[in-house]
Amino acid sequence: MLRDTSGIHHVTGIVRSARANIDFYGEVLGLRPVKRTVNFNDKFTRHLFYGDETGSPGTVLTFFPYPGEEDGRPGKPQITAAAVTIPRGSVSYWRDRLADRGVAVDGPFERLGETVLRASDPDGTRIELVTGESDVEPWADGPVPAEHAIRGIHGVTLLSTSVYVTASVLETLGFDLVGQAGDRVRYRAAGDRATVVDLLDRDAEFGREGAGTIHHVAVRVPEKDQLYEWHDLFRDREYDVSRVKDRHFFHSLYVREPGGILFELATETPGLAADAGTDEPAESLFLPPWLEEDREMIEGQLPPLDPATGSEPE
């Protein structure tokens, strides 16, 4: 029997520079780089994961760096922003921290009872820092003091080509309508973190996927068997749905709903910590068993993390 999702599992964006991405999410935002691997659909493209201490579902932002990628263009149908949770008393800290590092900041402003700071990463990906409660423990050894550190994902904002259909998909997944402010309609899942999806009901031009855009949002599913039931449900609705895929850290299913938003449904286990075995899990390239025999070829063809030297950083 299908069960409602408990919230967001991870959010994945497209960027140009891996080095700039690591500097921004690891050093500026203070998220832990929890895994460095490759795009399992394109083994010569890097895939970078950031999150809490262990990369728990609901804390993870991931990125595909494509060095030659053109800039994306904001518009429909896209995920226009990813939001992370910060403690309520940390707004001034974050405004000053971002400004001191040359990151332009909008806000703070109030939205649906929360305080929001808005910024962009080096490729233009919209990131919001939103005050709220979360059970996520911060990265203990990170560059941001623990009392101000990010507590996982807060939510995402969607700009759909068919608002009512996307709203229906959210309700199917277990998100409930909980509020509205202007053209922003809020849906929330019943979990303990990463539960918010805002749907914008406004006119907008069509966007273009590229650097600085968000590729997909993944929601949490407890078990692999559930994915097959979700697959059949979306197939019966004649949605564009993938087969169930082995992502090593989880199993997943992708559905492009008629409003144009790409959702992934991802299991909470085994998780990004399954292959940890080291205090610095993101300091080496992880490959799943089915790619391990090609390691030498893959490492030889991946773009360097540090383009200035053509080498891997220490």
Side-chain angles (χ1 to χ4, degrees), residues 9-13 18 21-22 25-26 31-40 45-57 59-65 139 216 218 247-250 254 264 266 271-273 281-286:
H9 186 286
H10 67 267
V11 180
T12 295
N21 189 256
I22 293 169
Y25 289 94
L31 300 175
R32 190 181 194 199
V34 289
K35 198 67 69 178
R36 182 192 304 170
T37 183
V38 297
N39 181 344
F40 294 168
T45 297
R46 295 186 183 275
H47 195 178
L48 307 175
F49 289 71
Y50 309 89
D52 67 352
E53 193 83 23
T54 60
S56 305
T59 73
V60 178
L61 299 176
T62 94
F63 295 90
F64 299 128
W139 177 21
H216 66 266
R247 296 311 193 197
H248 187 75
F249 311 118
F250 42 80
Y254 298 83
E264 180 181 358
L272 287 164
E283 292 303 309
S284 60
L285 180 69
F286 172 84

Side-chain angles (χ1 to χ4, degrees), residues 50-215:
Y50 309 89
D52 67 352
E53 193 83 23
T54 60
S56 305
T59 73
V60 178
L61 299 176
T62 94
F63 295 90
F64 299 128
Y66 290 98
E69 183 68 37
E70 298 288 334
D71 286 342
R73 183 180 64 233
K76 294 182 177 181
Q78 284 183 359
I79 301 163
T80 59
V84 294
T85 301
I86 59 173
R88 295 188 187 281
S90 298
V91 173
S92 295
Y93 170 85
W94 276 105
R95 183 188 57 201
D96 295 344
R97 180 179 177 84
L98 292 170
D100 288 347
R101 287 157 178 77
V103 179
V105 186
D106 292 334
F109 56 89
E110 297 298 314
R111 188 173 70 198
L112 288 163
E114 300 163 336
T115 305
V116 180
L117 292 173
R118 182 179 288 164
S120 297
D121 75 8
D123 287 282
T125 312
R126 179 67 57 82
I127 299 295
E128 295 179 336
L129 293 85
V130 182
T131 59
E133 301 297 326
S134 171
D135 67 344
V136 173
E137 295 292 332
W139 177 21
D141 298 323
V144 176
E147 66 267 31
H148 298 302
I150 287 170
R151 264 64 166 184
I153 294 172
H154 175 272
V156 292
T157 300
L158 310 182
L159 189 55
S160 165
T161 60
S162 181
V163 173
Y164 293 108
V165 174
T166 302
S168 174
V169 172
L170 289 172
E171 290 173 357
T172 298
L173 290 171
F175 289 82
D176 294 322
L177 175 61
V178 294
Q180 182 168 358
D183 60 8
R184 178 178 294 267
V185 184
R186 173 153 296 183
Y187 288 81
R188 189 186 295 274
D192 53 9
R193 61 188 183 279
T195 57
V196 170
V197 174
D198 285 348
L199 187 55
L200 300 180
D201 184 9
R202 68 176 64 158
D203 291 331
E205 300 294 326
F206 279 89
R208 181 183 62 227
E209 188 173 277
T213 63
I214 296 175
H215 187 260

